[in-house]
Amino acid sequence: MMVHTSETVRLKFFIDLLMHKRHPVMLVGTSGCGKSALLNEKLNSLSEEYAVCNVPFNYYTTSELLQRVLERPLEKKAGKNYAPPGNKKLVYFIDDINMPMVDQYGTVQPHTLIRQHMDYGHWYDRTKHTLKDIHNVQYVAAMNPTAGSFTINPRLQRHFNVFAVSFPCMESLNLIYSSLLDQHLKSSSMKFNPTLTRMTEPMVQAALQLHQKVAATFMPTATKFHYIFNLRDLTNIFQGLLFCTGETVKAPIELLRCWLHETQRVYGDRLLEEKDLEMLTKLQVDVTKKIFEIFLHLRRTRQQMVFALLCNTGKNVKYDIHLQAAAETPCCTKHVFTPLTLQELDETEVMAKPNVFCHFARGIGEPRYLPIKSWVDLNAILQDALTTYNELNAAMNLVLFEDAMAHVCRINRILECPRGNALLVGVGGSGKQSLARLAAFISGLEVFQITLTKEYSIQELRSDLANLYVRAGLKNLGTVFLMTDAHVPDEKFLVLINDLLASGEIPDLFPEDEVENIVSSVRNEVREGKRESSRVESLRHSPNKVLAPPYEAFHHHELAIAVNSASGPVITLPIFWVG
Ligand SMILES: Nc1ncnc2c1ncn2[C@@H]1O[C@H](COP(=O)(O)OP(=O)(O)O)[C@@H](O)[C@H]1O
Ligand SMILES: [Mg+2]
């Protein structure tokens, strides 16, 4: 869901104007600052007279592949003219435009094709060598100047109206996540306790402050190159909080603990060293104290069940000023004072271990996001699940010690998220695949793996993925795509996986007639409102996926290459260190 802030509204104003006049637009900004989100929202809200064609770029995009993708939605008109069907205007959305490989002459071939089209309005038929005039199409693009080839050729760039997208400021972040959480907490169907509905402000403040501290403390280095924290992580934290309902979370402390759990998952699971984890706990305690201590202090000094929250500024306002007086003091009027009745809240209780939330804490088949009661309790549930699994499938002989159970909860949490993907990293034999299978079984998801043979090439992977899309997207069979490093004989395989993770769009996956079939078979469901998307990409709601490469074979160096040649998303997957 997109929340508009002053920055996005500003940008959208210009994008609207320019797109209406059919001028090409390009957004430039670092990974995870919301470029794709903004453009996708704009493209989805275009009127019926527009058609949209998504063209995500990656390292291996060639001009030939690009031309095929660009030509697909066009039809032949009179003579050498080509245009979208009817009087539609076609918008090509080129995401990550600077990702393709730079050849030895310094040319990026796909760019040259686009430039030729923009300069002359035509390109050539590759087999007949005849001219094709292309009409009624326009471009929007996004690029990240800190990845891929960094810049694009000025002869191409000059055609675009370029806008910088900066990482949203604190105010915007506050707005985005307050809107998300507030809407959830106040929704009547969620039936939250009224005291909880006032938790939005401190929760968002705490999340933003912690995010800032985490991003400033854990910097990427050569061995910790995946220490990159951006909007996606914040979104994941709130995604977790949105699993809570009035039934599962009754007191503020429970919501607070859920937030602590989510931050532990989103940030903690990515950290490599014990000392980084300790540092994270310290940051969590610091932030929690800073934001929520006000309450503690008041309670201690006055035994009042009143909670004053100081939000929006980082200023340290004296806590023990009388509430009324504080509200009347001009310098404090900016702060929001929220009276809140809280139950007992002290640090040991807030930070108590284990703090693990999962969807099966009260038994499988009762999906509610709740904290586990104890490890023993969880063990009994998982043993049951394992026994049932073993009755139905090839038996797995798993010993469910604490870490293994924690991993199952982590993997399951990701699988339950819409389009949740994970990269499990650990030495061979640490149980990545088995634990992932168990986690998938708990959520009632099927597991799909490719069968690698000598002849298995990228073509076979394409058709496997196409089948997977049909199963998951069309037939609605929840599926986990489990891939290990042994399944990646060729680096190009990762490019398909990258497309799958980045946008869900793998160019050229289905032949033209099949796309028609697929669209017509979901058309009714779309009409009846059972599916969200009214566009062809209804198949985007692709399978849940877990990639599980063992650590030794897929060590940092190779992962770094994969990440460099693919684009951002691989690196922004939740990564687990199993074992
Ligand atoms: N204004 C916004 N409202 C809600 N979510 C946003 C907003 N801007 C960005 N996001 C979220 O931030 C994450 C990263 O955005 P994305 O567009 O993928 O980044 P980019 O394409 O710049 O790398 C996405 O999960 C998106 O949902
Ligand atoms: Mg993007």
Side-chain angles (χ1 to χ4, degrees):
M1 198 183 82
M2 179 87 187
V3 181
H4 278 289
T5 64
S6 50
E7 286 157 64
T8 61
V9 171
R10 262 198 304 261
L11 276 170
K12 195 165 176 300
F13 173 77
F14 287 111
I15 296 175
D16 285 348
L17 271 185
L18 289 163
M19 278 185 69
H20 184 67
K21 299 262 180 209
R22 315 207 25 215
H23 290 299
V25 181
M26 184 192 296
L27 300 186
V28 181
T30 50
S31 164
C33 66
K35 307 178 293 293
S36 311
L38 179 60
L39 285 177
N40 275 324
E41 201 242 10
K42 166 72 192 160
L43 296 179
N44 285 332
S45 64
L46 285 174
S47 65
E48 280 294 306
E49 56 177 328
Y50 285 94
V52 177
C53 175
N54 281 298
V55 194
F57 271 13
N58 60 50
Y59 187 72
Y60 293 102
T61 307
T62 57
S63 61
E64 189 184 356
L65 180 78
L66 172 67
Q67 191 168 343
R68 261 211 311 277
V69 176
L70 295 182
E71 281 182 1
R72 170 164 288 186
L74 304 178
E75 63 181 31
K76 192 168 164 47
K77 307 269 169 171
K80 56 183 183 172
N81 293 323
Y82 289 78
N87 283 330
K88 287 219 173 192
K89 298 175 192 158
L90 182 68
V91 184
Y92 291 123
F93 173 25
I94 307 201
D95 207 355
D96 295 322
I97 193 168
N98 61 339
M99 285 321 286
M101 174 174 30
V102 184
D103 69 16
Q104 55 177 323
Y105 308 106
T107 315
V108 180
Q109 291 172 10
H111 290 177
T112 317
L113 183 76
I114 299 175
R115 187 196 54 76
Q116 181 186 20
H117 178 211
M118 286 180 151
D119 275 345
Y120 305 109
H122 67 223
W123 58 62
Y124 285 88
D125 188 300
R126 284 192 175 244
T127 45
K128 295 186 211 140
H129 307 285
T130 51
L131 211 66
K132 287 180 165 180
D133 275 328
I134 313 296
H135 298 283
N136 264 351
V137 299
Q138 63 191 91
Y139 290 91
V140 294
M143 69 174 249
N144 171 5
T146 61
S149 58
F150 303 110
T151 55
I152 62 169
N153 193 303
R155 290 174 72 201
L156 172 63
Q157 183 164 348
R158 72 193 170 98
H159 288 289
F160 285 93
N161 293 278
V162 179
F163 293 94
V165 186
S166 49
F167 193 80
C169 61
M170 274 316 234
E171 210 175 304
S172 310
L173 290 176
N174 208 342
L175 177 70
I176 294 175
Y177 295 108
S178 302
S179 321
L180 288 181
L181 190 60
D182 209 39
Q183 210 173 41
H184 182 71
L185 292 179
K186 292 199 173 135
S187 142
S188 56
S189 60
M190 289 296 153
K191 301 197 185 76
F192 276 105
N193 184 330
T195 51
L196 280 163
T197 56
R198 304 198 194 101
M199 289 282 284
T200 310
E201 201 88 49
M203 294 303 296
V204 173
Q205 279 301 309
L208 294 184
Q209 288 198 11
L210 184 66
H211 184 83
Q212 258 187 340
K213 288 193 179 187
V214 166
T217 311
F218 304 114
M219 295 297 217
T221 63
T223 50
K224 300 174 182 171
F225 61 90
H226 61 290
Y227 278 23
I228 295 174
F229 301 97
N230 58 31
L231 270 193
R232 295 200 179 97
D233 302 298
L234 270 174
T235 306
N236 283 343
I237 289 176
F238 283 90
Q239 171 88 53
L241 288 176
L242 299 194
F243 281 134
C244 296
T245 65
E247 240 176 78
T248 60
V249 166
K250 300 230 155 45
I253 182 171
E254 291 170 18
L255 194 63
L256 178 57
R257 274 175 66 79
C258 181
W259 170 71
L260 286 168
H261 169 255
E262 296 311 312
T263 54
Q264 192 67 36
R265 292 287 71 77
V266 170
Y267 304 124
D269 285 346
R270 206 180 299 171
L271 301 180
L272 273 182
E273 290 171 9
E274 201 57 41
K275 82 172 192 321
D276 288 353
L277 275 170
E278 278 164 22
M279 187 65 199
L280 177 69
T281 313
K282 186 173 163 295
L283 294 181
Q284 283 179 326
V285 173
D286 283 356
V287 170
T288 313
K289 269 195 187 155
K290 194 166 150 206
I291 304 280
F292 296 90
E293 193 187 45
I294 302 159
F295 161 73
L296 292 177
H297 192 86
L298 277 178
R299 200 167 64 87
R300 273 199 298 272
T301 50
R302 275 192 251 118
Q303 295 293 308
Q304 249 179 346
M305 291 289 199
V306 181
F307 183 24
L309 289 173
L310 311 170
C311 297
N312 295 333
T313 73
K315 278 189 202 146
N316 207 354
V317 180
K318 266 190 160 257
Y319 304 143
D320 54 351
I321 9 176
H322 193 280
L323 210 57
Q324 199 56 39
E328 285 164 5
T329 317
C331 73
C332 296
T333 45
K334 268 198 227 119
H335 309 305
V336 181
F337 287 85
T338 320
L340 188 65
T341 45
L342 282 178
Q343 298 149 359
E344 286 298 298
L345 178 71
D346 65 51
E347 191 182 325
T348 43
E349 201 182 333
V350 172
M351 300 305 292
K353 301 265 180 243
N355 183 8
V356 177
F357 278 68
C358 64
H359 294 272
F360 49 90
R362 299 292 175 273
I364 291 159
E366 278 185 64
R368 284 192 300 160
Y369 203 53
L370 281 168
I372 61 165
K373 284 182 189 149
S374 65
W375 288 119
V376 180
D377 194 55
L378 182 65
N379 194 290
I381 294 172
L382 287 180
Q383 280 298 352
D384 264 4
L386 186 61
T387 318
T388 329
Y389 179 92
N390 284 344
E391 281 164 14
L392 300 171
N393 301 281
M396 294 192 294
N397 214 350
L398 288 180
V399 180
L400 293 169
F401 51 96
E402 266 182 31
D403 273 350
M405 292 192 286
H407 286 315
V408 174
C409 295
R410 285 170 194 176
I411 300 169
N412 185 265
R413 169 180 164 275
I414 306 261
L415 292 181
E416 290 281 345
C417 289
R419 297 191 43 128
N421 314 297
L423 176 67
L424 314 182
V425 183
V427 291
S430 53
K432 297 175 295 295
Q433 289 198 53
S434 323
L435 294 177
R437 280 176 193 278
L438 183 59
F441 176 72
I442 290 171
S443 289
L445 298 168
E446 289 179 28
V447 175
F448 173 80
Q449 271 190 313
I450 58 174
T451 324
L452 210 57
T453 56
K454 260 207 187 115
E455 291 81 43
Y456 198 92
S457 68
I458 194 131
Q459 236 19 45
E460 275 76 32
L461 180 63
R462 272 179 178 279
S463 70
D464 269 345
L465 286 177
N467 287 339
L468 211 57
Y469 268 47
V470 171
R471 270 163 66 101
L474 205 57
K475 301 187 184 146
N476 252 337
L477 295 170
T479 310
V480 172
F481 178 31
L482 187 67
M483 198 172 186
T484 73
D485 66 329
H487 293 140
V488 191
D490 180 353
E491 205 181 273
K492 284 194 182 164
F493 278 32
L494 291 177
V495 175
L496 288 191
I497 304 298
N498 183 68
D499 283 345
L500 181 108
L501 297 174
S503 57
E505 296 245 337
I506 303 178
D508 227 9
L509 192 64
F510 294 101
E512 193 64 30
D513 47 342
E514 207 168 314
V515 172
E516 271 315 305
N517 282 343
I518 292 168
V519 173
S520 56
S521 54
V522 291
R523 190 163 282 141
N524 274 344
E525 286 185 42
V526 171
R527 207 171 291 145
E528 288 163 20
K530 285 187 196 152
R531 278 181 197 263
E532 289 170 15
S533 165
S534 59
R535 294 189 188 277
V536 186
E537 307 104 4
S538 12
L539 273 182
R540 272 181 149 198
H541 305 286
S542 53
N544 285 303
K545 297 133 268 169
V546 179
L547 306 174
Y551 182 72
E552 315 127 304
F554 209 78
H555 57 77
H556 282 138
H557 179 61
E558 283 183 31
L559 189 54
I561 292 176
V563 168
N564 288 340
S565 53
S567 70
V570 171
I571 208 172
T572 42
L573 288 181
I575 302 178
F576 296 150
W577 311 97
V578 179

